[in-house]
Amino acid sequence: MNVYEYAMKVEKDGEAYYNHLASKAPNNGLKKVFHILAEAEVSHYNVFKSMRDKDGSDYKAIDISTDTKTIFETLNEQKDSVTFDAEQIKFYEDAIKREEDSYQFYIDKAQELENEDEKTAFINIAKEEVKHKAILEEIIHFIQEPDNWVASAEF
């Protein structure tokens, strides 16, 4: 399996995982966050597929922070009617670990690539994985301390 196929598998697995989290989410705002993250994974998959197929597609950054800001505002408004359990937090922590692993993989592989456009795409997708991780960390913080939660400046 070459680097592009492996990256495609990582993104396909990520999409499935976020769709699973969406199906378990106790709140429509969280469901939407996880669907947005799943869609981002599909976009990443398509970038890697284009690189593998050498079809000349350009990588375009995906900015999910605007959508998630609105969702976190909605979550905050609905916090009294939302309950979470330890199993959900574990899923979110697992998702953070996946994002960390993906980030490291993409950064490492970018250093091995000779094509500058592909190298840039790997680095940009790695940066998006950092954003995904920050979103998940915000969710955990929100779950653990809903009354003290204040969204970070990024959101």
Side-chain angles (χ1 to χ4, degrees):
M1 182 180 303
N2 70 30
V3 66
Y4 309 113
E5 290 168 350
Y6 183 79
M8 290 164 58
K9 181 185 178 329
V10 167
E11 297 301 326
K12 190 57 90 175
D13 290 348
E15 175 195 8
Y17 197 74
Y18 285 127
N19 282 327
H20 173 73
L21 291 179
S23 74
K24 300 285 188 190
N27 172 288
N28 286 335
L30 279 177
K31 284 183 191 303
K32 189 169 181 181
V33 169
F34 293 126
H35 283 301
I36 289 169
L37 290 169
E39 289 170 15
E41 301 300 296
V42 170
S43 295
H44 297 170
Y45 173 92
N46 290 332
V47 168
F48 293 127
K49 184 177 184 301
S50 293
M51 281 189 249
R52 182 198 67 190
D53 298 344
K54 307 273 190 237
D55 71 2
S57 295
D58 290 329
Y59 170 73
K60 302 246 188 292
I62 305 153
D63 184 8
I64 60 174
S65 60
T66 302
D67 291 323
T68 53
K69 178 182 179 192
T70 303
I71 293 162
F72 279 116
E73 288 170 352
T74 303
L75 276 176
N76 198 35
E77 292 168 5
Q78 299 173 355
K79 68 182 173 191
D80 294 333
S81 64
V82 177
T83 58
F84 299 92
D85 60 33
E87 181 183 13
Q88 288 168 309
I89 292 174
K90 176 73 171 116
F91 281 133
Y92 305 157
E93 290 170 342
D94 289 346
I96 288 170
K97 176 70 171 122
R98 286 171 169 259
E99 294 297 346
E100 290 170 345
D101 292 346
S102 294
Y103 167 82
Q104 195 59 56
F105 172 76
Y106 297 142
I107 290 296
D108 291 345
K109 291 305 167 188
Q111 304 313 313
E112 297 172 13
L113 294 170
E114 293 179 19
N115 179 299
E116 286 302 316
D117 291 336
E118 291 181 358
K119 183 180 286 199
T120 299
F122 268 76
I123 291 169
N124 287 338
I125 289 176
K127 289 176 183 177
E128 287 189 15
E129 303 299 358
V130 171
K131 289 180 186 178
H132 297 178
K133 178 184 171 200
I135 290 166
L136 293 162
E137 289 171 340
E138 283 295 314
I139 290 170
I140 290 175
H141 181 70
F142 173 80
I143 291 169
Q144 292 174 332
E145 298 184 56
D147 294 329
N148 297 326
W149 179 78
V150 176
S152 70
E154 183 176 354
F155 301 110

mmCIF file of all heavy atoms in Angstrom, residues 25-58:
data_model
loop_
_atom_site.group_PDB
_atom_site.id
_atom_site.type_symbol
_atom_site.label_atom_id
_atom_site.label_comp_id
_atom_site.label_asym_id
_atom_site.label_seq_id
_atom_site.Cartn_x
_atom_site.Cartn_y
_atom_site.Cartn_z
ATOM 1 N N ALA A 25 -24.286 10.660 19.450
ATOM 2 C CA ALA A 25 -24.312 11.984 20.094
ATOM 3 C C ALA A 25 -25.692 12.256 20.701
ATOM 4 O O ALA A 25 -26.713 12.017 20.066
ATOM 5 C CB ALA A 25 -23.949 13.072 19.096
ATOM 6 N N PRO A 26 -25.722 12.786 21.929
ATOM 7 C CA PRO A 26 -26.992 13.019 22.630
ATOM 8 C C PRO A 26 -27.636 14.369 22.292
ATOM 9 O O PRO A 26 -28.640 14.732 22.877
ATOM 10 C CB PRO A 26 -26.563 12.999 24.103
ATOM 11 C CG PRO A 26 -25.182 13.563 24.057
ATOM 12 C CD PRO A 26 -24.575 13.025 22.781
ATOM 13 N N ASN A 27 -27.057 15.063 21.324
ATOM 14 C CA ASN A 27 -27.480 16.431 21.075
ATOM 15 C C ASN A 27 -27.325 16.723 19.583
ATOM 16 O O ASN A 27 -26.350 16.302 18.968
ATOM 17 C CB ASN A 27 -26.577 17.338 21.929
ATOM 18 C CG ASN A 27 -26.741 18.794 21.651
ATOM 19 O OD1 ASN A 27 -26.310 19.272 20.606
ATOM 20 N ND2 ASN A 27 -27.344 19.498 22.583
ATOM 21 N N ASN A 28 -28.275 17.460 19.017
ATOM 22 C CA ASN A 28 -28.215 17.775 17.585
ATOM 23 C C ASN A 28 -26.995 18.617 17.231
ATOM 24 O O ASN A 28 -26.445 18.481 16.141
ATOM 25 C CB ASN A 28 -29.493 18.476 17.139
ATOM 26 C CG ASN A 28 -30.653 17.512 17.045
ATOM 27 O OD1 ASN A 28 -30.454 16.313 16.861
ATOM 28 N ND2 ASN A 28 -31.860 18.019 17.188
ATOM 29 N N GLY A 29 -26.562 19.483 18.130
ATOM 30 C CA GLY A 29 -25.362 20.279 17.879
ATOM 31 C C GLY A 29 -24.138 19.394 17.731
ATOM 32 O O GLY A 29 -23.335 19.574 16.814
ATOM 33 N N LEU A 30 -23.984 18.426 18.635
ATOM 34 C CA LEU A 30 -22.851 17.497 18.537
ATOM 35 C C LEU A 30 -22.954 16.638 17.289
ATOM 36 O O LEU A 30 -21.950 16.368 16.627
ATOM 37 C CB LEU A 30 -22.777 16.609 19.771
ATOM 38 C CG LEU A 30 -22.123 17.214 21.000
ATOM 39 C CD1 LEU A 30 -22.194 16.253 22.171
ATOM 40 C CD2 LEU A 30 -20.690 17.605 20.730
ATOM 41 N N LYS A 31 -24.166 16.184 16.975
ATOM 42 C CA LYS A 31 -24.349 15.399 15.751
ATOM 43 C C LYS A 31 -23.830 16.190 14.556
ATOM 44 O O LYS A 31 -23.122 15.654 13.703
ATOM 45 C CB LYS A 31 -25.824 15.059 15.538
ATOM 46 C CG LYS A 31 -26.356 13.968 16.430
ATOM 47 C CD LYS A 31 -27.808 13.661 16.092
ATOM 48 C CE LYS A 31 -28.479 12.779 17.114
ATOM 49 N NZ LYS A 31 -27.861 11.516 17.362
ATOM 50 N N LYS A 32 -24.159 17.463 14.518
ATOM 51 C CA LYS A 32 -23.737 18.297 13.402
ATOM 52 C C LYS A 32 -22.210 18.450 13.382
ATOM 53 O O LYS A 32 -21.595 18.396 12.320
ATOM 54 C CB LYS A 32 -24.415 19.661 13.462
ATOM 55 C CG LYS A 32 -24.175 20.484 12.228
ATOM 56 C CD LYS A 32 -25.044 21.711 12.179
ATOM 57 C CE LYS A 32 -24.755 22.480 10.894
ATOM 58 N NZ LYS A 32 -25.533 23.689 10.777
ATOM 59 N N VAL A 33 -21.595 18.647 14.542
ATOM 60 C CA VAL A 33 -20.131 18.742 14.603
ATOM 61 C C VAL A 33 -19.500 17.490 14.007
ATOM 62 O O VAL A 33 -18.592 17.571 13.174
ATOM 63 C CB VAL A 33 -19.636 18.938 16.058
ATOM 64 C CG1 VAL A 33 -18.123 18.755 16.149
ATOM 65 C CG2 VAL A 33 -20.029 20.294 16.594
ATOM 66 N N PHE A 34 -19.992 16.335 14.420
ATOM 67 C CA PHE A 34 -19.391 15.090 13.937
ATOM 68 C C PHE A 34 -19.650 14.868 12.453
ATOM 69 O O PHE A 34 -18.788 14.328 11.744
ATOM 70 C CB PHE A 34 -19.843 13.908 14.785
ATOM 71 C CG PHE A 34 -19.311 13.983 16.188
ATOM 72 C CD1 PHE A 34 -20.162 13.909 17.275
ATOM 73 C CD2 PHE A 34 -17.961 14.163 16.428
ATOM 74 C CE1 PHE A 34 -19.679 14.002 18.571
ATOM 75 C CE2 PHE A 34 -17.459 14.258 17.722
ATOM 76 C CZ PHE A 34 -18.327 14.172 18.790
ATOM 77 N N HIS A 35 -20.793 15.300 11.961
ATOM 78 C CA HIS A 35 -21.047 15.191 10.518
ATOM 79 C C HIS A 35 -20.114 16.131 9.741
ATOM 80 O O HIS A 35 -19.611 15.769 8.674
ATOM 81 C CB HIS A 35 -22.511 15.483 10.189
ATOM 82 C CG HIS A 35 -23.422 14.343 10.524
ATOM 83 N ND1 HIS A 35 -23.292 13.080 9.979
ATOM 84 C CD2 HIS A 35 -24.495 14.276 11.354
ATOM 85 C CE1 HIS A 35 -24.231 12.281 10.457
ATOM 86 N NE2 HIS A 35 -24.966 12.986 11.306
ATOM 87 N N ILE A 36 -19.852 17.309 10.274
ATOM 88 C CA ILE A 36 -18.911 18.236 9.632
ATOM 89 C C ILE A 36 -17.517 17.623 9.602
ATOM 90 O O ILE A 36 -16.813 17.684 8.579
ATOM 91 C CB ILE A 36 -18.902 19.603 10.362
ATOM 92 C CG1 ILE A 36 -20.216 20.344 10.094
ATOM 93 C CG2 ILE A 36 -17.702 20.442 9.939
ATOM 94 C CD1 ILE A 36 -20.407 21.563 10.973
ATOM 95 N N LEU A 37 -17.100 17.025 10.712
ATOM 96 C CA LEU A 37 -15.790 16.378 10.761
ATOM 97 C C LEU A 37 -15.724 15.209 9.774
ATOM 98 O O LEU A 37 -14.704 15.009 9.103
ATOM 99 C CB LEU A 37 -15.467 15.926 12.177
ATOM 100 C CG LEU A 37 -15.190 17.061 13.173
ATOM 101 C CD1 LEU A 37 -15.142 16.521 14.602
ATOM 102 C CD2 LEU A 37 -13.913 17.802 12.835
ATOM 103 N N ALA A 38 -16.806 14.440 9.669
ATOM 104 C CA ALA A 38 -16.847 13.323 8.714
ATOM 105 C C ALA A 38 -16.714 13.852 7.287
ATOM 106 O O ALA A 38 -15.985 13.281 6.461
ATOM 107 C CB ALA A 38 -18.136 12.522 8.881
ATOM 108 N N GLU A 39 -17.398 14.951 6.986
ATOM 109 C CA GLU A 39 -17.307 15.550 5.646
ATOM 110 C C GLU A 39 -15.887 16.042 5.358
ATOM 111 O O GLU A 39 -15.407 15.935 4.220
ATOM 112 C CB GLU A 39 -18.297 16.698 5.515
ATOM 113 C CG GLU A 39 -19.743 16.244 5.465
ATOM 114 C CD GLU A 39 -20.735 17.398 5.575
ATOM 115 O OE1 GLU A 39 -20.320 18.575 5.415
ATOM 116 O OE2 GLU A 39 -21.921 17.120 5.822
ATOM 117 N N ALA A 40 -15.220 16.565 6.373
ATOM 118 C CA ALA A 40 -13.830 17.006 6.190
ATOM 119 C C ALA A 40 -12.939 15.813 5.846
ATOM 120 O O ALA A 40 -12.047 15.914 4.993
ATOM 121 C CB ALA A 40 -13.323 17.717 7.439
ATOM 122 N N GLU A 41 -13.195 14.682 6.488
ATOM 123 C CA GLU A 41 -12.413 13.481 6.203
ATOM 124 C C GLU A 41 -12.641 13.034 4.750
ATOM 125 O O GLU A 41 -11.704 12.592 4.080
ATOM 126 C CB GLU A 41 -12.767 12.346 7.170
ATOM 127 C CG GLU A 41 -12.556 12.669 8.645
ATOM 128 C CD GLU A 41 -11.121 13.011 9.000
ATOM 129 O OE1 GLU A 41 -10.245 12.151 8.862
ATOM 130 O OE2 GLU A 41 -10.880 14.149 9.434
ATOM 131 N N VAL A 42 -13.859 13.158 4.266
ATOM 132 C CA VAL A 42 -14.154 12.823 2.866
ATOM 133 C C VAL A 42 -13.368 13.742 1.935
ATOM 134 O O VAL A 42 -12.793 13.290 0.931
ATOM 135 C CB VAL A 42 -15.673 12.919 2.570
ATOM 136 C CG1 VAL A 42 -15.960 12.810 1.075
ATOM 137 C CG2 VAL A 42 -16.440 11.844 3.336
ATOM 138 N N SER A 43 -13.319 15.023 2.269
ATOM 139 C CA SER A 43 -12.556 15.970 1.452
ATOM 140 C C SER A 43 -11.078 15.606 1.434
ATOM 141 O O SER A 43 -10.429 15.645 0.380
ATOM 142 C CB SER A 43 -12.734 17.392 1.974
ATOM 143 O OG SER A 43 -14.060 17.801 1.829
ATOM 144 N N HIS A 44 -10.551 15.232 2.586
ATOM 145 C CA HIS A 44 -9.145 14.817 2.660
ATOM 146 C C HIS A 44 -8.927 13.566 1.804
ATOM 147 O O HIS A 44 -7.935 13.466 1.076
ATOM 148 C CB HIS A 44 -8.730 14.522 4.098
ATOM 149 C CG HIS A 44 -8.811 15.709 5.007
ATOM 150 N ND1 HIS A 44 -8.663 15.585 6.370
ATOM 151 C CD2 HIS A 44 -9.026 17.022 4.773
ATOM 152 C CE1 HIS A 44 -8.785 16.777 6.923
ATOM 153 N NE2 HIS A 44 -9.002 17.665 5.969
ATOM 154 N N TYR A 45 -9.842 12.619 1.917
ATOM 155 C CA TYR A 45 -9.770 11.388 1.121
ATOM 156 C C TYR A 45 -9.655 11.744 -0.367
ATOM 157 O O TYR A 45 -8.819 11.198 -1.082
ATOM 158 C CB TYR A 45 -11.011 10.535 1.380
ATOM 159 C CG TYR A 45 -11.120 9.321 0.496
ATOM 160 C CD1 TYR A 45 -10.592 8.101 0.901
ATOM 161 C CD2 TYR A 45 -11.751 9.382 -0.745
ATOM 162 C CE1 TYR A 45 -10.684 6.976 0.090
ATOM 163 C CE2 TYR A 45 -11.849 8.272 -1.557
ATOM 164 C CZ TYR A 45 -11.318 7.071 -1.142
ATOM 165 O OH TYR A 45 -11.410 5.970 -1.956
ATOM 166 N N ASN A 46 -10.501 12.669 -0.805
ATOM 167 C CA ASN A 46 -10.514 13.042 -2.220
ATOM 168 C C ASN A 46 -9.211 13.699 -2.656
ATOM 169 O O ASN A 46 -8.753 13.495 -3.784
ATOM 170 C CB ASN A 46 -11.712 13.944 -2.519
ATOM 171 C CG ASN A 46 -13.019 13.177 -2.447
ATOM 172 O OD1 ASN A 46 -13.066 11.972 -2.691
ATOM 173 N ND2 ASN A 46 -14.082 13.871 -2.095
ATOM 174 N N VAL A 47 -8.600 14.469 -1.753
ATOM 175 C CA VAL A 47 -7.298 15.079 -2.069
ATOM 176 C C VAL A 47 -6.260 13.976 -2.276
ATOM 177 O O VAL A 47 -5.514 13.990 -3.263
ATOM 178 C CB VAL A 47 -6.850 16.048 -0.955
ATOM 179 C CG1 VAL A 47 -5.391 16.459 -1.135
ATOM 180 C CG2 VAL A 47 -7.759 17.267 -0.913
ATOM 181 N N PHE A 48 -6.217 13.020 -1.367
ATOM 182 C CA PHE A 48 -5.234 11.944 -1.486
ATOM 183 C C PHE A 48 -5.508 11.069 -2.707
ATOM 184 O O PHE A 48 -4.573 10.627 -3.380
ATOM 185 C CB PHE A 48 -5.192 11.111 -0.208
ATOM 186 C CG PHE A 48 -4.664 11.862 0.974
ATOM 187 C CD1 PHE A 48 -5.388 11.927 2.146
ATOM 188 C CD2 PHE A 48 -3.444 12.520 0.915
ATOM 189 C CE1 PHE A 48 -4.911 12.627 3.244
ATOM 190 C CE2 PHE A 48 -2.951 13.227 2.002
ATOM 191 C CZ PHE A 48 -3.689 13.274 3.170
ATOM 192 N N LYS A 49 -6.761 10.862 -3.013
ATOM 193 C CA LYS A 49 -7.132 10.086 -4.210
ATOM 194 C C LYS A 49 -6.643 10.814 -5.457
ATOM 195 O O LYS A 49 -6.101 10.192 -6.379
ATOM 196 C CB LYS A 49 -8.636 9.861 -4.261
ATOM 197 C CG LYS A 49 -9.089 8.996 -5.416
ATOM 198 C CD LYS A 49 -10.595 8.773 -5.347
ATOM 199 C CE LYS A 49 -11.082 7.837 -6.428
ATOM 200 N NZ LYS A 49 -10.821 8.269 -7.777
ATOM 201 N N SER A 50 -6.814 12.120 -5.491
ATOM 202 C CA SER A 50 -6.344 12.912 -6.634
ATOM 203 C C SER A 50 -4.831 12.820 -6.781
ATOM 204 O O SER A 50 -4.313 12.731 -7.899
ATOM 205 C CB SER A 50 -6.755 14.377 -6.471
ATOM 206 O OG SER A 50 -8.145 14.508 -6.558
ATOM 207 N N MET A 51 -4.135 12.846 -5.642
ATOM 208 C CA MET A 51 -2.675 12.720 -5.696
ATOM 209 C C MET A 51 -2.282 11.342 -6.214
ATOM 210 O O MET A 51 -1.389 11.215 -7.049
ATOM 211 C CB MET A 51 -2.067 12.959 -4.316
ATOM 212 C CG MET A 51 -1.970 14.412 -3.939
ATOM 213 S SD MET A 51 -1.010 14.604 -2.425
ATOM 214 C CE MET A 51 -2.290 15.130 -1.318
ATOM 215 N N ARG A 52 -2.963 10.333 -5.713
ATOM 216 C CA ARG A 52 -2.650 8.965 -6.152
ATOM 217 C C ARG A 52 -2.888 8.808 -7.650
ATOM 218 O O ARG A 52 -2.086 8.222 -8.361
ATOM 219 C CB ARG A 52 -3.504 7.952 -5.387
ATOM 220 C CG ARG A 52 -3.180 6.501 -5.766
ATOM 221 C CD ARG A 52 -4.252 5.540 -5.386
ATOM 222 N NE ARG A 52 -5.449 5.809 -6.184
ATOM 223 C CZ ARG A 52 -6.627 5.253 -5.949
ATOM 224 N NH1 ARG A 52 -6.789 4.427 -4.936
ATOM 225 N NH2 ARG A 52 -7.661 5.533 -6.717
ATOM 226 N N ASP A 53 -4.012 9.368 -8.109
ATOM 227 C CA ASP A 53 -4.390 9.227 -9.514
ATOM 228 C C ASP A 53 -3.716 10.238 -10.423
ATOM 229 O O ASP A 53 -3.885 10.192 -11.634
ATOM 230 C CB ASP A 53 -5.910 9.342 -9.652
ATOM 231 C CG ASP A 53 -6.647 8.235 -8.906
ATOM 232 O OD1 ASP A 53 -6.004 7.224 -8.535
ATOM 233 O OD2 ASP A 53 -7.863 8.383 -8.686
ATOM 234 N N LYS A 54 -2.985 11.191 -9.803
ATOM 235 C CA LYS A 54 -2.275 12.237 -10.555
ATOM 236 C C LYS A 54 -3.214 12.954 -11.519
ATOM 237 O O LYS A 54 -2.895 13.205 -12.670
ATOM 238 C CB LYS A 54 -1.097 11.642 -11.342
ATOM 239 C CG LYS A 54 -0.144 10.816 -10.520
ATOM 240 C CD LYS A 54 0.910 11.675 -9.895
ATOM 241 C CE LYS A 54 1.987 10.799 -9.294
ATOM 242 N NZ LYS A 54 2.199 11.018 -7.905
ATOM 243 N N ASP A 55 -4.397 13.340 -11.017
ATOM 244 C CA ASP A 55 -5.381 13.985 -11.893
ATOM 245 C C ASP A 55 -5.277 15.504 -11.899
ATOM 246 O O ASP A 55 -6.053 16.186 -12.562
ATOM 247 C CB ASP A 55 -6.796 13.532 -11.555
ATOM 248 C CG ASP A 55 -7.327 14.076 -10.241
ATOM 249 O OD1 ASP A 55 -6.625 14.861 -9.568
ATOM 250 O OD2 ASP A 55 -8.461 13.723 -9.881
ATOM 251 N N GLY A 56 -4.325 16.052 -11.126
ATOM 252 C CA GLY A 56 -4.077 17.487 -11.179
ATOM 253 C C GLY A 56 -5.013 18.338 -10.343
ATOM 254 O O GLY A 56 -4.991 19.555 -10.435
ATOM 255 N N SER A 57 -5.850 17.733 -9.533
ATOM 256 C CA SER A 57 -6.750 18.522 -8.687
ATOM 257 C C SER A 57 -5.944 19.324 -7.676
ATOM 258 O O SER A 57 -4.915 18.872 -7.194
ATOM 259 C CB SER A 57 -7.718 17.617 -7.927
ATOM 260 O OG SER A 57 -8.563 16.957 -8.827
ATOM 261 N N ASP A 58 -6.423 20.505 -7.375
ATOM 262 C CA ASP A 58 -5.775 21.342 -6.378
ATOM 263 C C ASP A 58 -6.390 21.109 -5.016
ATOM 264 O O ASP A 58 -7.588 20.839 -4.901
ATOM 265 C CB ASP A 58 -5.923 22.828 -6.726
ATOM 266 C CG ASP A 58 -5.099 23.212 -7.937
ATOM 267 O OD1 ASP A 58 -4.041 22.592 -8.139
ATOM 268 O OD2 ASP A 58 -5.519 24.120 -8.670
#
